[in-house]
Amino acid sequence: MNTAVEISLYPLTKNYIPLIDKFIEGLHAHPDIRVSTNDLSTHIYGNYDSVMRALNKEIKNIMRTKNRVSFVIKILNTE
């Protein structure tokens, strides 16, 4: 089953750009998903299990930085 995810990361810190860049770079490291970005959000496409594995790993990596962050996620059951 394919899925599409729209995700926005809102770091609650003054130095927010490095966290966003780290998150997007982490997603691009997963060759089994497609990632595209725009000014407001990141879109992730692929097999549901692959997308969820990538999201789980990369969200956890950002949360481990001890910075306060907020994620807004929309998940669609088709590309």
Side-chain angles (χ1 to χ4, degrees):
M1 171 178 59
N2 287 332
T3 192
V5 173
E6 179 183 56
I7 186 166
S8 297
L9 166 58
Y10 300 99
L12 305 176
T13 180
K14 290 181 183 179
N15 192 19
Y16 60 90
I17 292 179
L19 286 172
I20 295 170
D21 289 343
K22 177 180 178 169
F23 180 68
I24 294 170
E25 287 171 15
L27 290 172
H28 279 291
H30 297 267
D32 48 347
I33 63 171
R34 288 184 298 125
V35 179
S36 66
T37 59
N38 61 46
D39 291 340
L40 299 175
S41 62
T42 299
H43 297 200
I44 307 159
Y45 307 95
N47 174 273
Y48 178 85
D49 292 327
S50 298
V51 168
M52 291 301 134
R53 269 192 304 275
L55 280 175
N56 183 52
K57 180 179 180 183
E58 302 310 326
I59 288 172
K60 185 182 278 188
N61 285 342
I62 292 299
M63 290 188 166
R64 284 183 174 153
T65 68
K66 306 295 185 199
N67 292 290
R68 292 179 58 216
V69 297
S70 174
F71 286 94
V72 176
I73 304 171
K74 297 175 190 174
I75 303 171
L76 190 66
N77 65 343
T78 184
E79 284 191 39

